[in-house]
Every structure is written in C-alpha cells, then in structure tokens.
Amino acid sequence: MEEKLYDYMDWAEIEAVVYSEENHPRDILGPRVTEDGILIQAFFPGATRAAVHTIRDGKQTEMVCEDEAGFFAVLLPGKKIPSYTLIYWDGDGNQMEHYDAYAYPMQFTEQEQKQFENGICYSIYEKLGAHPVKIDGISGVYFAVWAPNAIRVSVVGNFNNWDGRAYQMNLLESGIYELFIPGVRAGDIYKYEIKAKGGLTYLKSDPYANAAQLRPNNASVVVDLGKYAWQDENWMKKRGVTQGDKAPISVYEVHLGSWKKPDDGREFYNYREIAPMLASYVKELGYTHVELMPVMEHPLDESWGYQVTGYYAPTARYGTPDDFRYFMDTMHQNDIGVILDWVPAHFPRDTFGLSAFDGTCLYEHFDPRQGSHPHWGTLIYNYGRPEVKNFLIANALFWAKEYHADGIRMDAVASMLYLDYGKQDGEWVANIYGGNENLEAIEFLKHLNSIFKKEFPDALLIAEESTAWPKVTGELDDEGLGFDYKWNMGWMNDFTEYMKNDPVYRGAHHDQLTFSMVYAYSEKFMLSLSHDEVVHLKGSMYTKMPGTPEQKMANLRLAYAYQMVHPGKKLLFMGQEFGQEKEWNEKQSLSWELLEDKEHLQLKNYMAALHAFYKANPALYQLDEKPEGFEWINGMEWEKNLLIFLRRTRKKEDTLLVVCNFSNVEYDDFRIGVPYPGKYKEMFNSDAEAYGGTGVGNPRVKMSKKTECDERKNSITVKLAPLSVQVFSYTKPETGAASNKSAKAKTAAKAAAEKKTGKKGKLAGKTEEAVKAKKTTKTAQKAEKKVSEKTVKTAEKKQGTTTATEKVEKAVKQAIDSKPVKTVEQTVDKLVKAGKSAATEAAKAVEKYRAAADPEKKPATKPETKSEAKSEAKPETKTKKSTGMSELGEELQRKFETEER
C-alpha cells in the first residue's frame, strides 16, 4: 500500500506546502477519491506522528510521514470519503485531534464572486471576514479575505500557535482566499499571515472582522452576530416619519469615551452602562437624535475614531458587538435616533491595517499624488477599483442592517470630491479632462447613496462637505449626489466668528448673520456647532462669547436660540448645552461639576425648554427646505444688531414672528411691521428670568395697529430684551373673545334698543329697517373692497407696480454703493432668473445707476427718486460682504411675490 501511496505524491506541491508558498492547498491537502481508495494528505508542522480516525467505525489508521517537516499521507480502502478526524503528536509528545480543514468545499458561489469583482455584491460582508457556521454538521469558522496579489495567505491565531504553515488558504479566481476551519469558536483571536511577492511575510488584521482586540493589541476577534434579539420594532416602523424632512431634528453629538468617565478607576463605561444614562439625559434635554463620533475600531484615541482600522467592528473600548447593539436598542426604545460618523475618505498607514495589504497598493492608489493625504498623513481609497468600492458600500449597509443605524454622517466629503484637496501644485494629478474633480469618487458617492436609499429609504445620509460643491443634497437623477442633508459649515464659521465680537462692534459684521439666507435653499442644510469648533485652541462655545460671565451666558442663550429659529436641522456638540468652560479633551470627562452652579444648571434647563418650544412649533421645522418657510421683516438693522423675520408653515395661524437682538441694549416701544392684523403674543424669550436673564419682555398680548412700518401696513410695539431671541405667535383678530371696544359697543347698542322698544330682544320697525340697511351697506362695501383688491392684484400681476420698481432700483443703488457694477449685475442675474419682469426692472435699475461706478456716464433713465436720495444719505456699512446685496435679494424676492399674486 505504501508503494501505491508513493505514486500519488506530487513532490513539487508538497514542497510548496512545506515552504508555505501554496495558494491552492485544497488541490493536495484533504481527501480525494482515487482508483486505489481514499487518499488523505495532511501537513502538521513539526509533528512526529499522525493518524486518521474514522468516525463510523472508530478505527484509527496510522499515516505515513512523506516529509520530515510534517507532511503525512494515507490510503484508506473504499470509494466514498468517510467522516473522519486527524490526530497528530507534536515534538513534545502532545496529542491533538480535529476535523480536517481541507475536507470542506468553498462557500462562495460563482455569482457572488462575479458581483464582487464588479463592485455590486452588497452583502459581501456575510462571506468575507470570519463567520461561525456549520458545514456538514461540523461547527467551525469560515474565513475569507481579498488579497489577489499575495503568494500565500494563512489563517493564524490562538488555535494554531500563530503558525502560518498551518491553515494555508485556498485562492479563488476572484482574488479571494478562503478556508473553513473546524473547531474554531467565537471569542478566538486571529490574523492573516501574508507572504508577498519577494518573500516578505507579515501579519494583517482582517478588514472585514466584526470585532478586534482592545488597543494597543490589534488582532481580530471571531464573533457571532446572529444571537442578539432586537426589541426596537416600534421605532423602526415609525422612523421614516420621525426623521422625515418635515420633522423636528435636533442632534446631540457625542464622543462616548469622554461624555462620562467611571468613578471606579476604569477608563471607559461599557456600551450597556452608558446607554441608559445617555438616553435619559438626551430625553431630558429634548434632543431627537444622538450622533456618535466614529465607534469603528481605531488604534489611536487622539484620532477620535476618524482613522479607522476596523470598519466592520465596533471599538472594543466600550465592549462587544452585542453590547453595542444593546446601546442602539436602548436608544430606539427611548425614541432616540442614532447617527453614526463614518469615514470613507481615507485610512491610516498602520502596518496591521489596509495599507499595502497584499504587498501592493490594494485599497489605496500607488501614486502618492493620488493615494496620500498630506494634511492627515493618511491614505486615500482608490475609488476606481470595484472591490474597494464594494468594501465601502457594503460597510455603510452593514451598519444600517446589523446595528439598525438611523443615519450615516460621512466625514470629509470635500476631500473626496477634489483631487487637489489640501495639496500644492505638483502634488496632485488632474482627471482625464484636466480638472480637479475626482470623477471616481463622485461616481462612488452616487452609487453608494442610490443603493443605501434603496435598501433603507427611512435612514439618513448626511455629508460633511465644506465647500460650495453644487447639489450635494440634489437628486441623483438631476446630477446631485443624493444626500439628505449637508452640514452648513459656512453658517457655522460665519456665526461663531460673529458671536466672538463684542456687541459694540457686531454691526460691522452684520453680513455674517444675513449671508446664510442668500444660499439657505441651495441645499438641505443641518446647522452644526460641532466638536471641530471646540478643539485645537478654539475654546469652548462658552469661552468664545464676549463679556462678563453673565453676558457670556446671555450670548450662549441667544446663540442657541438663533440656531433653533434659523432654517435647517440642528446639531450641538456635547457639553456646550450647559456651558462647558474647558476646551474638549478626549481623555477627560465633561465638566459635570459645573451643574452645581446655578448659571450652568439654568443653561441646561434653558436648552430643555428651547427644544420643547422647537418641537411644539411646526413653523420652526416643517418648511426648513422651502423659501416659503422664511420671510424677512427687517434684516438690515445693522446699527442696532437686529434681525426680524417670520417662520411659517402653510397654515397662516402657525406663523411665528422672530426678533433677534444681538446687541446688549434694551429697546422700549420698538415698532415692528407685522404680516397680518391681529394679536401677537410673546411665546418664548431667551432672556427670561427663569433662564438667568434680565426678565425684559412682553407679558401682555400685543394688538396690531394700522401704522405702517417695515413696509407693512400693520405693526406692533414691543420691548426688546438685550442679547435675546423673542418669538411671538400670531392669532387672527376674529378668533377668541371680542375686543373690549367691540364688546362695549355691542352692549351699548343692545341697551339702547331695549330702552327704545321697552322689550328685550325686540326692535321697533324703524330700527330694524335701519339695522338691515346698515348690514346691506356693509355687505356692499365688503364686496366692493374684494373687487377692488382683485383688480389691483390682476394689474400688478400683468405689469408690476411703480412701488415695486422703486424698491428694486433702491436695492440696486445700495448694492452699487458697496460693490462694483459688474458684481451687482452678476448678482442680479442670479437672483432674477425666476421672474422675467423683475429681471427687466433690475436691469433698468443697474443701467440707471451705472454712473455710480463711472461718474462720466449719465443714467439712461429719469432722475433719482426721493427714496433713492434717502438711501444715498445712509451711512456706509463696514462689512466684508455688501449688506445691500442681502437687501437686493429681499426686494427682488418681494417683487416676485407681488407678481405671482
């Protein structure tokens, strides 16, 4: 029998196995049927003896040592491969027994491999990585990794003494190495040993691992993701409405490791411990969502999770994958959505990670001008490689499916879109058209967002994009990128810079407040005051504010209220809600001791009240993305540091009048134009005494009067508190009880009628006729008024009005005072595309005032009007951007509205 066995030996293949350079070990190792029986070959590095134990008859057959390195073979009689185990004895005489890893077929289908090669196998994470499974009734773990350019890949771990000669993996045509290893269990740790071309051998963590060791260790961990029982069905069913575009969304950004630290000396709380504490706190303050800074595994605490090495593994700092599922489940059971920060833009150079994974630049570009980030010292993904795109797209889907993530916030999208992001000339390579747009990254983002929304239409996609790239939130079929929201970085930078100024000097920076409304509807925005604003010596939100401690708190209340009343969804970084004084440090807990001080506790309670007010008023969120949800009353009071505007829904009665006073001056009897006649009640005041403010306000309802103000027929007079946001609700004059005057008039009329007739409820004949005549006259007057109004509106719609024309001319003149005519013309062109008649009027106005830039050129139209002369007499504003520009937009918008009506 040994002679026949010898004839079956392929010595070249045996040598490849012994020297660990075999990438098709299943061709030689394991069982196969021959003419002479069942041939079984095995390699046990360093073993002195080996045997085959057949399960059915319990027989043990000694194997022949064909190579002293530990290669054994045996021929068993029969034509059918039996169920068996392998027994071997190591050099110390220790006996080992296990099922044969090479006796089991691959688990990939040909279709899955083809899809992966084309970048469309969206569930690839179910095969790649390490997965506890049963094959032919035998429990073990199926390992698979993509490493097409490696000479050999082995699975090593605590189950085989980290010996890369054992468990050499089988290479498929797709470049995937795979192997089922019986007996390996959840909790075992492993890596891949890779031998690259040239002979270099090294260890790599599994890119698709579902868990990893706690840093500084970096081995991958086998886990079973199929055991957790979710209890968030109610949340998952309703989240499409709960986080729809017409819903209130206010996000609490959290770094789990530093939100709170344990008192018992441990470095971190477990996911299960922190879940109920965070859920209770977030509910108390009224936030709708939390956003977690990256919880994917990362080696360096100081990176805050933004340099990821384990894309499919929740970080072990806070527990296991099921612990993290418990965290997500707890949030959902408390009606709190969870958005996960995600980093598809770059990855770190750590040698155990993705860099040069199979000895080549597999995940990154080979050319450092394309594959290296000079700012962060990281590597850029090669978005043109289908398998790389598949890795990332499947990862986004993985978090939504396996962990019920309610949204993905993509970090550093701008760095993906631009080939020259953060680079100097000569440090980047242009695209095929000679431009700086990363065409492959654009296609990747569109691909990802389309598939994600198809699979999870009720989950959110949010972009951190810091430039003016068009249509980030535009529809995919309209050349957009397909995100739901974009962080409004421009608003964040302008607003925080404005708030740093002492109120005395804020007037010169008024455009930093108004400019956001120029582009407010170019995207669907989320207003973010994020972690980036309170690190790297930028100071906390509290320390950014000018003045005394009391004034700092007043400014914070003002800032947070302004964020809440401004169009857009909201986000605030942890600790800023109670006035964290220290700059954020990931190694320290938040300064919770500050809540022992009355002022900080008041600010926290204020935030809860502010959120309650926000969620109770649909005008603050229902039309965030529509121009009709916002209207200026007066955005030009730069000398007084005032902004006055309306927030609306499609229901007139939901209208809110918002007055923002960014000065520290109190105004008595300040007149404000209002959109409708009726009652205006102060519903919210950031300067209320309960919040630590001065208490200046308007406790009584304000009835509008027919006194023109802010170019409106009706107005009210109110008290304006210093450093405050005051919000007034509107009520129609017909609703509620009659006014005192009308009630008195009715009572007097009734008494007179009773006196005249001597009977209650009856009138003399003449009186009845008089009343009827009076009613008839009133009805006729109302009808005449309606006809008159309709006639006026029709005329305005056809040819515009002189007043509207004068407003356009005035606005253009003010813009020219602070901008070159060419710039004004460009601005006008952009702003008037929506209305032809307004465009004509604006063009005439520009031509008329061209002399402002060229004194020698005479205006082509009639001399200036009084309103224009008055405008000329106004003092010049010292702003970076023209305040006239904002007024131009405002006046043109009103012109369009007049024409539409």
Side-chain angles (χ1 to χ4, degrees):
M1 199 70 168
E2 286 190 23
E3 290 181 4
K4 290 183 179 180
L5 182 63
Y6 184 85
D7 292 337
Y8 284 104
M9 295 300 99
D10 186 331
W11 299 106
E13 290 288 347
I14 291 173
E15 186 175 272
V17 170
V18 169
Y19 286 97
S20 304
E21 292 186 349
E22 178 59 64
N23 53 23
H24 291 87
R26 200 180 279 119
D27 290 349
I28 182 170
L29 299 176
R32 66 175 181 270
V33 178
T34 70
E35 293 180 359
D36 300 302
I38 308 301
L39 173 64
I40 299 175
Q41 301 180 87
F43 180 46
F44 306 117
T48 58
R49 281 181 59 203
V52 173
H53 173 223
T54 49
I55 305 298
R56 186 171 185 177
D57 57 12
K59 186 177 180 181
Q60 185 172 301
T61 306
E62 195 81 10
M63 300 183 77
V64 177
C65 181
E66 299 290 356
D67 190 292
E68 60 184 10
F71 191 91
F72 296 86
V74 68
L75 267 173
L76 299 179
K79 295 295 182 181
K80 184 178 180 181
I81 298 173
S83 178
Y84 66 92
T85 61
L86 296 172
I87 305 171
Y88 66 94
W89 289 261
D90 63 17
D92 297 326
N94 299 312
Q95 180 180 322
M96 314 288 179
E97 183 174 4
H98 55 69
Y99 286 93
D100 188 352
Y102 299 98
Y104 303 91
M106 72 170 182
Q107 300 300 300
F108 275 89
T109 66
E110 185 176 343
Q111 182 182 15
E112 287 171 335
Q113 293 184 69
K114 291 295 183 185
Q115 287 177 333
F116 180 63
E117 289 177 305
N118 289 290
I120 57 173
C121 189
Y122 305 120
S123 60
I124 190 65
Y125 56 83
E126 294 178 353
K127 289 293 180 68
L128 288 175
H131 301 282
V133 293
K134 274 189 176 183
I135 300 179
D136 296 338
I138 306 304
S139 296
V141 173
Y142 189 71
F143 294 90
V145 63
W146 180 55
N149 302 302
I151 292 177
R152 182 262 305 169
V153 179
S154 298
V155 182
V156 297
N158 59 352
F159 42 81
N160 69 347
N161 296 318
W162 302 88
D163 190 339
R165 295 173 296 174
Y167 297 137
Q168 298 174 49
M169 303 178 77
N170 200 60
L171 176 63
L172 307 180
E173 290 184 5
S174 56
I176 294 172
Y177 281 86
E178 54 81 39
L179 185 66
F180 172 71
I181 305 180
V184 177
R185 297 171 296 180
D188 284 340
I189 58 176
Y190 70 100
K191 282 188 176 183
Y192 295 116
E193 182 179 278
I194 297 176
K195 179 175 279 191
K197 293 175 182 177
L200 180 65
T201 304
Y202 49 87
L203 297 177
K204 287 285 189 181
S205 298
D206 187 352
Y208 286 84
N210 293 136
Q213 287 182 300
L214 176 62
R215 53 90 177 103
N217 297 318
N218 51 48
S220 301
V221 180
V222 177
V223 294
D224 185 352
L225 293 181
K227 294 183 177 180
Y228 186 83
W230 289 93
Q231 299 178 38
D232 61 350
E233 297 86 1
N234 291 337
W235 167 264
M236 297 299 285
K237 287 177 183 177
K238 68 182 181 181
R239 76 174 180 182
V241 175
T242 304
Q243 54 188 31
D245 56 7
K246 294 182 180 179
I249 294 180
S250 183
V251 184
Y252 186 60
E253 188 186 20
V254 177
H255 178 262
L256 284 179
S258 59
W259 184 68
K260 275 188 179 179
K261 294 279 190 183
D263 297 327
D264 56 9
R266 289 180 297 155
E267 196 171 8
F268 305 112
Y269 279 114
N270 183 276
Y271 291 115
R272 292 177 184 265
E273 293 175 303
I274 205 170
M277 292 189 291
L278 184 59
S280 176
Y281 185 77
V282 168
K283 284 186 73 173
E284 180 187 354
L285 266 71
Y287 288 96
T288 62
H289 290 69
V290 295
E291 180 177 312
L292 302 183
M293 293 171 70
V295 294
M296 299 79 188
E297 194 57 80
H298 53 281
L300 186 67
D301 292 1
E302 288 79 4
S303 77
W304 313 329
Y306 291 100
Q307 295 196 11
V308 180
T309 51
Y311 274 80
Y312 286 83
T315 178
R317 289 168 175 81
Y318 320 124
T320 68
D322 277 354
D323 291 339
F324 184 54
R325 283 173 157 177
Y326 180 90
F327 173 92
M328 300 291 284
D329 209 350
T330 301
M331 290 295 156
H332 290 167
Q333 291 177 51
N334 284 276
D335 289 330
I336 300 166
V338 184
I339 299 166
L340 300 182
D341 261 11
W342 187 60
V343 191
H346 60 120
F347 59 92
R349 295 175 182 268
D350 298 72
T351 55
F352 66 87
L354 296 178
S355 64
F357 189 79
D358 64 355
T360 67
C361 294
L362 189 63
Y363 286 88
E364 69 272 32
H365 284 275
F366 174 75
D367 189 335
R369 295 175 299 170
Q370 296 173 287
S372 178
H373 258 310
H375 273 188
W376 304 314
T378 52
L379 299 172
I380 302 171
Y381 284 102
N382 184 349
Y383 303 108
R385 185 165 286 167
E387 296 90 344
V388 173
K389 287 190 295 185
N390 206 149
F391 170 76
L392 291 169
I393 294 172
N395 186 238
L397 297 171
F398 167 82
W399 291 104
K401 180 182 177 182
E402 299 295 335
Y403 290 93
H404 293 196
D406 303 297
I408 299 291
R409 177 263 191 189
M410 295 190 202
D411 180 65
V413 171
S415 73
M416 301 169 65
L417 295 172
Y418 297 97
L419 294 166
D420 59 347
Y421 184 89
K423 299 179 180 180
Q424 304 297 321
D425 291 344
E427 295 180 347
W428 60 284
V429 179
N431 62 35
I432 58 174
Y433 303 110
N436 67 341
E437 302 87 357
N438 190 333
L439 304 179
E440 293 170 342
I442 295 167
E443 190 279 329
F444 159 73
L445 289 171
K446 290 182 176 182
H447 187 173
L448 188 159
N449 291 350
S450 66
I451 297 301
F452 189 93
K453 277 299 182 181
K454 182 179 178 181
E455 293 292 323
F456 304 101
D458 56 350
L460 300 176
L461 290 168
I462 304 167
E464 186 218 17
E465 202 284 312
S466 55
T467 72
W469 186 279
K471 297 185 178 181
V472 172
T473 56
E475 297 295 332
L476 290 167
D477 57 5
D478 188 31
E479 300 182 354
L481 294 183
F483 287 92
D484 292 298
Y485 296 104
K486 168 181 170 174
W487 271 21
N488 196 333
M489 311 292 280
W491 175 86
M492 178 174 70
N493 292 327
D494 284 348
F495 182 57
T496 52
E497 287 301 312
Y498 177 86
M499 291 302 296
K500 289 177 185 178
N501 294 300
D502 187 285
V504 174
Y505 304 109
R506 283 176 177 169
H509 304 276
H510 195 70
D511 62 307
Q512 290 181 325
L513 284 179
T514 58
F515 185 62
S516 61
M517 290 311 302
V518 173
Y519 61 86
Y521 304 106
S522 61
E523 300 280 4
K524 299 175 184 176
F525 283 117
M526 179 171 284
L527 307 180
S528 56
L529 293 170
S530 71
H531 67 274
D532 279 327
E533 297 308 297
V534 295
V535 292
H536 300 322
L537 303 180
K538 294 178 184 176
S540 66
M541 287 298 294
Y542 176 86
T543 57
K544 290 182 198 294
M545 301 298 113
T548 64
E550 292 78 13
Q551 290 170 333
K552 286 179 182 292
M553 283 295 185
N555 272 296
L556 273 184
R557 293 193 300 271
L558 163 61
Y560 297 153
Y562 179 64
Q563 180 190 30
M564 208 65 76
V565 297
H566 190 290
K569 307 309 181 187
K570 329 296 177 186
L571 178 141
L572 184 66
F573 184 58
M574 65 180 194
Q576 312 314 304
E577 75 280 1
F578 61 77
Q580 170 95 2
E581 295 179 0
K582 295 186 297 184
E583 189 174 75
W584 173 57
N585 183 340
E586 77 282 347
K587 296 184 181 299
Q588 300 175 0
S589 176
L590 295 181
S591 303
W592 295 104
E593 67 277 5
L594 289 176
L595 291 176
E596 296 174 9
D597 297 335
K598 179 181 178 182
E599 294 77 10
H600 292 276
L601 181 60
Q602 283 179 322
L603 180 62
K604 175 198 161 191
N605 293 337
Y606 165 79
M607 290 301 293
L610 183 59
H611 276 112
F613 179 73
Y614 168 61
K615 291 191 284 189
N617 287 276
L620 295 178
Y621 56 80
Q622 273 193 3
L623 296 178
D624 267 337
E625 303 157 16
K626 305 290 184 183
E628 53 265 38
F630 178 94
E631 182 182 342
W632 283 114
I633 295 291
N634 189 339
M636 302 303 298
E637 289 282 6
W638 63 269
E639 305 98 328
K640 295 183 176 67
N641 301 346
L642 295 178
L643 288 182
I644 307 171
F645 54 85
L646 303 176
R647 292 303 310 275
R648 301 178 181 274
T649 68
R650 301 193 189 281
K651 296 180 181 178
K652 186 176 178 180
E653 57 269 25
D654 289 339
T655 301
L656 296 179
L657 171 65
V658 181
V659 186
C660 306
N661 182 6
F662 291 90
S663 76
N664 54 9
V665 178
E666 175 186 336
Y667 295 98
D668 286 327
D669 298 325
F670 189 88
R671 186 165 293 279
I672 298 172
V674 293
Y676 319 112
K679 298 177 181 179
Y680 291 83
K681 180 181 179 182
E682 185 178 278
M683 299 292 291
F684 188 87
N685 186 342
S686 69
D687 198 47
E689 286 186 9
Y691 309 138
T694 65
V696 173
N698 302 272
R700 299 185 65 179
V701 173
K702 299 291 181 177
M703 189 70 187
S704 66
K705 295 183 179 180
K706 288 189 176 181
T707 303
E708 188 173 349
C709 182
D710 296 320
E711 300 180 356
R712 296 172 189 272
K713 294 180 181 180
N714 298 281
S715 62
I716 58 174
T717 57
V718 296
K719 284 188 175 182
L720 300 187
L723 298 173
S724 70
V725 170
Q726 292 162 270
V727 185
F728 297 82
S729 64
Y730 162 71
T731 306
K732 293 180 181 179
E734 296 81 12
T735 59
S739 66
N740 289 335
K741 288 185 179 180
S742 61
K744 288 179 181 178
K746 287 182 180 179
T747 304
K750 185 177 181 181
E754 289 176 354
K755 185 176 181 181
K756 193 167 185 178
T757 60
K759 295 181 182 179
K760 291 184 180 181
K762 290 186 178 181
L763 294 174
K766 288 184 179 180
T767 304
E768 289 178 1
E769 290 175 4
V771 170
K772 286 180 180 179
K774 190 172 182 181
K775 286 183 178 179
T776 304
T777 303
K778 284 186 176 181
T779 303
Q781 287 174 343
K782 286 182 179 178
E784 184 179 351
K785 184 178 179 182
K786 285 183 179 179
V787 172
S788 176
E789 288 176 349
K790 186 175 181 181
T791 304
V792 171
K793 288 180 180 179
T794 304
E796 288 176 348
K797 186 174 182 180
K798 288 182 178 179
Q799 46 189 303
T801 64
T802 303
T803 304
T805 303
E806 288 177 355
K807 289 177 184 177
V808 173
E809 293 175 351
K810 177 181 175 183
V812 172
K813 177 62 173 65
Q814 288 177 331
I816 291 174
D817 287 342
S818 55
K819 287 283 185 181
V821 171
K822 185 177 180 182
T823 304
V824 176
E825 288 178 329
Q826 291 172 348
T827 305
V828 170
D829 287 343
K830 291 178 182 178
L831 291 173
V832 301
K833 282 182 180 178
K836 292 183 179 179
S837 62
T840 303
E841 298 298 341
K844 288 179 181 178
V846 171
E847 180 64 27
K848 177 177 178 179
Y849 293 111
R850 195 177 291 276
D854 185 2
E856 295 182 1
K857 185 169 183 178
K858 294 181 181 180
T861 55
K862 63 181 182 180
E864 295 177 352
T865 62
K866 289 182 181 180
S867 62
E868 293 162 351
K870 186 176 180 182
S871 173
E872 234 176 71
K874 286 185 178 180
E876 199 171 11
T877 59
K878 297 179 181 179
T879 57
K880 293 180 181 177
K881 303 179 184 71
S882 164
T883 54
M885 184 84 62
S886 297
E887 186 172 353
L888 174 63
E890 179 187 351
E891 298 299 343
L892 289 174
Q893 184 178 357
R894 290 178 183 166
K895 166 80 174 164
F896 299 159
E897 290 173 354
T898 301
E899 290 179 345
E900 288 172 357
R901 287 197 296 268

